[in-house]
Amino acid sequence: MNIREESLARIASGANFDVLVVGGGVNGVAVLRELALNGVSTLLIDRADFCKGATSASSRMAHGGLRYLENREFKLVAESARERNLLLKYAPHFTLPLEVVVPLSHYLHGLAGSILRFLGLSSRSGPLSTAGLKGALYLYEFLGRVDKVLPSHRTALRRAAFPKALSSRYRAVISYFDARIRNPEALVMEMIEDALQANENVACLNHVDWKQDGNGIAISDRVSGRTIHLRPKLVVNAAGAWVDQVNRSLGLNTGYIRPVKGAHVLVRHDELQKRMDSRAFYFDDGTGRMVICYPLDHTILLGTTEIQVDSPDDDTVAASETKYLTGALSRLFDDIDVTERNIVAVTTGIRPLQAGGGASVNRANRDHLIAEDRLASGQPLLSLVGGKWTTFRAFGEQASDRIFQILSVKRRVDTRRRQYRGAAGMGSGGAGRQELVNRLCSGLSLAPARASDLVARYGAVAQEVATFCNLSADTVIASIPDFTERELRWLIEKRAAVFLDDLLLRRTQIVLDGRCTEAIVRDFGLHLAKVRGLDTAWAEKEIARCLAMPTVLPQGAARAEMLEVRHG
């Protein structure tokens, strides 16, 4: 199914939509999926691309939120841990267990401060103690007992059991388990496809403009030039950090969001990658501030910074942020140094935290809520405030249950144990992955490496991608031979990649893998223009725009180093 083509056809047929969802991030798409599966006609729109914003700038983890226990957010931790467990069971093609190693410098020092913060009597940061973390983990694992699939934590007090050359300042190591989401953007696309296939009265469009028009909404598609007028029974504002801006466009002055910018850096360091051995490291930077890093497929993700900002459009990454993160990582092992020259990519996004929570960003409420207002024309407006990646399904379920009440609709499908499209046939823990690879090799005559790449990128959807690629002669992309022209065409046509950064940042993992080069940007840009029937001038403009984006290619010394490593 072509997401844009099918959606435009449904809109052109004169279909009316009871619900309008504004925002194509993970929470908006979760609401769309819930409504579609339960028979509610819904249109989802986004002024930018699906997954743009905080959805594609997360830590790419499914976690219970261990650090939220200090703020006594027990309900959030229990919900997050349960949703993490469900993702491990029903999206095993992308969700993988992740061991988290926590090195500690103190057995008891810092425990009193943790207790005071837990009781709300102090907001001062301080060191994490072994005793304090063990106590927290007993509670964490108790709260995560529903649908439990992960092992319990373990403790090492002898240096012989520590990771090699771990900094000499550490006296204990505790390891616990959370999960990694390998390709969260693809999981969002699967939910969109699930919604469209389940309900013919559902549509989904990225890259549109909209405005209030009398008692309704005028929506203009920037790609096709089509305009529609819609008067929904209810509007869901799922715009993330832009919730208050969207509400102002709808005639309401709200202050629901506390915008907090978070940046991650991706570093390439072969020795560090080997040392980490597929484990995350969550460590104190020496001031009481915690840093996390863990290996992706080809790079190491390091984060995160948290800086309160005035505008949700602030996507800058200050040099001080990257320097802080690489400096902290360099102190983790005695024999490994990481500098800014190891950076191959950066991500940045605005977390839409709830307004309030005191001066310290660390004390901000991490839970989500649904704020209710009414438009001047009378329709209910639900604003989705807060939320984190792990809890998207639960947040979507809760918002949809409220919508069902308002519209007098009875829920008939529960998504809690619904398998995601790409997980079909994967089995528990993704055990069927190799079987699918073998089927692609035997049934479609794919080379084992090509079949493995497709399964890693798309899970069970790889069968559809491979079949599409085999429909006609296919050619590898010269600058990145593990991609082909037909695969890119599938991403553009089927998964609504309209602009070049859609393709580079949210339909593929090339940038996160630290493999993006000017040649790849150029090849992808020219191919995108060809598939969309646009001229070379459009392609050159897109290529120049993306080459100037620091989230596509690192700038300055880091970029020079990356190219030297790649071509030297």
Side-chain angles (χ1 to χ4, degrees):
M1 178 181 290
N2 295 17
I3 290 172
R4 288 193 118 262
E5 183 179 296
E6 181 63 29
S7 293
L8 287 168
R10 293 178 182 185
I11 292 167
S13 71
N16 196 21
F17 301 98
D18 288 338
V19 176
L20 173 66
V21 179
V22 180
V26 66
N27 290 325
V29 171
V31 173
L32 173 78
R33 178 174 176 247
E34 294 279 341
L35 297 178
L37 292 170
N38 287 281
V40 178
S41 59
T42 307
L43 172 63
L44 181 146
I45 59 173
D46 199 299
R47 280 183 165 147
D49 188 24
F50 307 127
C51 302
K52 191 172 182 180
T55 294
S56 61
S58 72
S59 64
R60 314 181 83 76
M61 290 178 66
H63 65 98
L66 175 64
R67 69 189 181 110
Y68 307 150
L69 288 177
E70 205 168 65
N71 290 353
R72 303 185 303 284
E73 296 185 86
F74 306 124
K75 175 178 171 291
L76 173 61
V77 173
E79 180 181 69
S80 300
R82 182 197 69 218
E83 293 298 317
R84 173 203 63 198
N85 295 346
L86 292 176
L87 282 167
L88 283 162
K89 284 187 173 183
Y90 301 108
H93 58 311
F94 289 145
T95 313
L96 309 171
L98 179 67
E99 181 181 355
V100 183
V101 177
V102 188
L104 298 145
S105 300
H106 310 284
Y107 295 134
L108 293 173
H109 179 62
L111 178 60
S114 295
I115 294 172
L116 290 174
R117 288 190 295 275
F118 179 78
L119 296 174
L121 300 176
S122 173
S123 60
R124 293 179 58 188
S125 61
L128 188 62
S129 67
T130 304
L133 179 58
K134 280 194 70 68
L137 282 170
Y138 283 122
L139 177 57
Y140 188 62
E141 290 166 355
F142 174 77
L143 293 173
R145 67 193 183 282
V146 177
D147 287 297
K148 182 178 178 180
V149 291
L150 295 171
S152 299
H153 73 278
R154 55 178 182 261
T155 305
L157 300 177
R158 296 181 299 107
R159 285 204 66 85
F162 291 5
K164 178 185 174 183
L166 190 68
S167 174
S168 56
R169 72 178 184 273
Y170 295 124
R171 302 174 65 191
V173 168
I174 296 179
S175 296
Y176 70 97
F177 290 84
D178 266 320
R180 168 196 173 196
I181 308 176
R182 186 181 181 278
N183 193 341
E185 296 85 1
L187 196 62
V188 172
M189 300 309 296
E190 287 183 19
M191 289 195 287
I192 291 174
E193 292 160 347
D194 196 10
L196 291 172
Q197 289 174 356
N199 189 334
E200 64 183 12
N201 295 313
V202 162
C204 195
L205 286 177
N206 53 351
H207 300 294
V208 303
D209 293 317
W210 63 269
K211 63 179 180 179
Q212 264 196 311
D213 184 18
N215 291 332
I217 308 288
I219 301 167
S220 300
D221 177 27
R222 293 203 298 272
V223 180
S224 67
R226 300 180 192 176
T227 297
I228 63 166
H229 296 270
L230 184 68
R231 194 178 190 280
K233 295 178 181 178
L234 183 147
V235 177
V236 177
N237 180 352
W242 292 269
V243 158
D244 293 322
Q245 287 187 359
V246 166
N247 283 346
R248 283 194 289 274
S249 297
L250 293 170
L252 295 171
N253 187 22
T254 60
Y256 295 135
I257 298 297
R258 179 178 187 171
V260 173
K261 182 173 64 175
H264 296 86
V265 300
L266 284 299
V267 300
R268 172 168 287 168
H269 195 300
D270 292 344
E271 180 59 30
L272 180 60
Q273 189 107 7
K274 181 180 178 181
R275 185 74 55 84
M276 295 180 77
D277 193 24
S278 301
R279 300 169 294 184
F281 282 74
Y282 185 49
F283 59 98
D284 188 324
D285 69 348
T287 69
R289 180 175 170 181
M290 301 300 291
V291 176
I292 190 161
C293 62
Y294 73 95
L296 304 183
D297 295 333
H298 303 283
T299 56
I300 297 163
L301 184 143
L302 171 63
T304 177
T305 61
E306 289 194 320
I307 301 172
Q308 185 155 339
V309 295
D310 296 325
S311 169
D313 297 309
D314 184 350
D315 60 357
T316 58
V317 181
S320 58
E321 295 178 70
T322 58
K323 186 174 182 179
Y324 160 74
L325 288 170
T326 54
L329 184 54
S330 290
R331 294 189 290 274
L332 180 60
F333 294 99
D334 284 334
D335 61 342
I336 292 179
D337 188 42
V338 181
T339 72
E340 291 170 276
R341 294 181 69 84
N342 293 108
I343 296 173
V344 294
V346 296
T347 69
T348 180
I350 305 297
R351 299 185 178 97
L353 304 185
Q354 294 181 35
S360 171
V361 169
N362 290 332
R363 308 299 290 181
N365 191 332
R366 306 291 166 145
D367 207 348
H368 51 255
L369 63 83
I370 303 163
E372 295 193 32
D373 296 284
R374 279 195 180 271
L375 302 178
S377 50
Q379 298 105 314
L381 168 67
L382 305 186
S383 298
L384 306 191
V385 181
K388 54 196 290 288
W389 230 106
T390 310
T391 58
F392 70 85
R393 192 212 60 83
F395 198 6
E397 179 183 68
Q398 292 155 20
S400 297
D401 283 341
R402 179 59 185 139
I403 294 167
F404 297 154
Q405 289 178 345
I406 295 170
L407 299 181
S408 299
V409 172
K410 185 176 181 180
R411 175 180 285 279
R412 61 194 192 202
V413 175
D414 184 351
T415 58
R416 185 170 300 195
R417 303 191 186 282
R418 184 180 179 87
Q419 190 177 60
Y420 292 84
R421 288 188 71 227
M426 285 292 179
S428 177
R433 193 180 307 272
Q434 188 57 49
E435 183 180 334
L436 177 55
V437 169
N438 294 340
R439 284 205 308 272
L440 292 178
C441 292
S442 59
L444 294 170
S445 301
L446 295 189
R450 173 66 172 159
S452 295
D453 284 341
L454 291 179
V455 171
R457 288 173 194 155
Y458 308 108
V461 180
Q463 180 78 46
E464 178 186 331
V465 180
T467 301
F468 181 89
C469 291
N470 273 17
L471 289 177
S472 62
D474 203 1
T475 305
V476 300
I477 303 295
S479 55
I480 184 164
D482 54 313
F483 279 83
T484 69
E485 291 186 358
R486 293 284 298 173
E487 182 180 353
L488 292 191
R489 179 177 285 272
W490 185 87
L491 290 168
I492 295 162
E493 292 181 347
K494 302 291 186 181
R495 288 195 161 171
V498 174
F499 295 103
L500 183 52
D501 55 316
D502 300 349
L503 199 55
L504 291 168
L505 295 174
R506 292 174 291 278
R507 302 301 186 281
T508 70
Q509 303 277 300
I510 292 168
V511 172
L512 287 176
D513 285 344
R515 298 198 293 157
C516 193
T517 64
E518 291 187 26
I520 291 172
V521 174
R522 176 163 292 280
D523 283 347
F524 275 41
L526 292 171
H527 194 70
L528 174 64
K530 178 182 176 182
V531 172
R532 289 194 56 202
L534 300 169
D535 59 22
T536 304
W538 182 90
E540 292 295 344
K541 185 177 179 181
E542 273 295 279
I543 291 165
R545 182 178 67 85
C546 286
L547 288 176
M549 294 173 62
T551 50
V552 171
L553 283 179
Q555 305 299 307
R559 178 174 172 184
E561 174 77 3
M562 181 180 70
L563 294 174
E564 181 182 327
V565 169
R566 209 166 277 146
H567 300 298

